[in-house]
Amino acid sequence: MRCLGELETAVMEVLWAVGESAKVREVLDRLDTGRSLAYTTVLTVLDNLHRKGWVQREREGRAYRYRPVLTREEAAAQMLHHVLDVSGTPEVVLTHFVGTVSDEHAEVLRIALRERDG
């Protein structure tokens, strides 16, 4: 999955918040980007998200209903994998990351690693 632009991220945030599939008009009505957007702009963004594999669509009458392929948390994990993949030195990136996390996040990581290792 490719990373998202600013408007694509805003549209995904709406879809994740809705919790079910939504038509273009429903997404447009909920978008709060600080600027006025045309219906066709949101339609194009949703079509691009579909092409990129971020949303699935299902025809309903003459329109489509769109829904996220992944949860917000799954998408964030995928993006972290992407960052590690393109960094060239994932070990160094992880070491820097671990050195900057809060104690609370470090404990979450410890627990997750223990659970993963059984």
Side-chain angles (χ1 to χ4, degrees):
M1 292 187 129
R2 300 198 318 234
C3 292
L4 302 178
E6 184 179 334
L7 189 51
E8 290 171 326
T9 299
V11 167
M12 287 303 300
E13 290 293 338
V14 168
L15 291 174
W16 283 320
V18 168
E20 59 189 37
S21 64
K23 291 183 178 179
V24 175
R25 174 63 57 195
E26 296 165 340
V27 173
L28 176 61
D29 290 345
R30 292 171 187 251
L31 266 176
D32 184 19
T33 63
R35 60 185 178 173
S36 179
L37 295 171
Y39 177 94
T40 54
T41 300
V42 177
L43 174 62
T44 299
V45 170
L46 282 163
D47 284 341
N48 289 341
L49 288 168
H50 178 258
R51 186 176 36 77
K52 291 179 178 182
W54 282 88
V55 299
Q56 291 179 334
R57 65 184 181 190
E58 182 178 303
R59 189 168 286 283
E60 184 178 280
R62 293 177 42 207
Y64 284 108
R65 295 191 72 81
Y66 295 86
R67 66 181 174 84
V69 170
L70 303 172
T71 65
R72 177 181 290 138
E73 297 77 13
E74 290 167 334
Q78 290 252 347
M79 286 186 265
L80 288 172
H81 279 287
H82 176 73
V83 168
L84 291 173
D85 290 344
V86 301
S87 72
T89 55
E91 300 82 7
V92 174
V93 172
L94 285 171
T95 300
H96 283 290
F97 175 74
V98 168
T100 63
V101 297
S102 68
D103 291 342
E104 179 182 318
H105 289 155
E107 183 59 23
V108 170
L109 285 170
R110 279 188 209 94
I111 291 168
L113 288 169
R114 276 195 300 270
E115 289 175 0
R116 184 196 71 167
D117 293 339

